[in-house]
Amino acid sequence: MTFITATSFFLKIHAQTEIKANALFLPLGMINLAVEKSLNSKFSLQAEGFISPWKSFGGKNLQIYMGTLEGRYYFKEVMKGWYVGAYGSIAAYNLQKWNYLKAEPVLDDEDHPQLSGDGTVRLTERYQKGLALIIGVSGGYHFTVTERLGLDVYAGIGTSQSIYKGYFKDNDQRYDKASNWNKSGEVIPTRGGLMLTYKFN
């Protein structure tokens, strides 16, 4: 107990702490905030939240709520220069994946195009609602502007494992044939940006 208390007290007194906001997403009305805390001279831990509240953004579903925890190793000194990291994220989403952005014909059980009430082929976009677990690696560079202010440029790629349900946009009925949840897994870029940083100590 003494060791834990002393360690906790030491971290509170001596650890550097930064708060951050992603400048790339703010103009789009998306919130991406983070807190990074040093563990020693080389390692840090960052907690991050991302919110895209858009039920419709340019006519496309784009709601994302994601939390991320990342460990970082700095080659020079914590919160200075180049670093690499490993992270895990949990996300809930209602969005249109990149390959479902265009309206396409709806097929019946015999793979024939369905017809709308006016006799034309039924065309609609599709969207997905679900949960994702993401594990990945990241890298970036932390610039020092002043004693307090800085810039954090970073990107990450990882494996995203999702459970989701897919829906037609014109009637909100499911297009997938799964009885409950669909599953998907892919390796994709999952994070990145330009963080404005402010250091407390």
Side-chain angles (χ1 to χ4, degrees):
M1 287 298 294
T2 303
F3 174 78
I4 293 172
T5 303
T7 303
S8 175
F9 178 79
F10 177 80
L11 287 174
K12 287 180 181 178
I13 296 298
H14 295 284
Q16 298 178 41
T17 303
E18 281 190 346
I19 57 172
K20 308 179 180 186
N22 198 328
L24 298 184
F25 292 117
L26 284 175
L28 302 176
M30 301 175 189
I31 301 168
N32 186 196
L33 304 175
V35 177
E36 183 177 5
K37 195 173 188 70
S38 64
L39 301 178
N40 55 39
S41 63
K42 296 282 190 178
F43 289 93
S44 70
L45 192 63
Q46 176 167 297
E48 183 178 334
F50 178 86
I51 297 174
S52 174
W54 299 103
K55 290 183 179 179
S56 178
F57 188 89
K60 311 300 180 184
N61 296 39
L62 191 58
Q63 279 188 309
I64 305 170
Y65 302 92
M66 180 164 60
T68 300
L69 191 62
E70 178 185 30
R72 290 181 171 182
Y73 172 80
Y74 285 84
F75 294 99
K76 181 181 177 182
E77 181 182 341
V78 70
M79 298 179 195
K80 291 182 180 179
W82 293 102
Y83 63 84
V84 293
Y87 62 92
S89 303
I90 297 176
Y93 59 85
N94 176 347
L95 55 75
Q96 290 176 251
K97 295 183 179 181
W98 64 271
N99 51 339
Y100 289 95
L101 295 176
K102 292 175 24 177
E104 296 181 351
V106 178
L107 305 179
D108 60 23
D109 292 337
E110 297 178 354
D111 289 336
H112 298 135
Q114 292 184 10
L115 300 180
S116 300
D118 59 2
T120 60
V121 174
R122 179 186 172 196
L123 296 172
T124 185
E125 298 174 19
R126 294 157 172 81
Y127 68 95
Q128 298 79 32
K129 291 182 181 179
L131 303 170
L133 174 64
I134 302 165
I135 299 174
V137 292
S138 59
Y141 192 91
H142 195 300
F143 296 89
T144 299
V145 179
T146 69
E147 182 180 350
R148 298 285 186 185
L149 300 177
L151 297 172
D152 182 4
V153 183
Y154 68 98
I157 187 170
T159 174
S160 175
Q161 303 298 318
S162 297
I163 56 172
Y164 70 93
K165 296 178 180 180
Y167 299 89
F168 292 115
K169 284 200 74 172
D170 62 351
N171 62 8
D172 295 320
Q173 293 181 358
R174 289 187 68 174
Y175 67 78
D176 48 4
K177 301 187 187 311
S179 59
N180 195 358
W181 293 95
N182 237 321
K183 301 177 181 67
S184 71
E186 50 199 346
V187 176
I188 55 173
T190 57
R191 60 200 310 265
L194 171 63
M195 289 280 196
L196 305 178
T197 72
Y198 179 83
K199 187 179 297 182
F200 282 106
N201 50 12

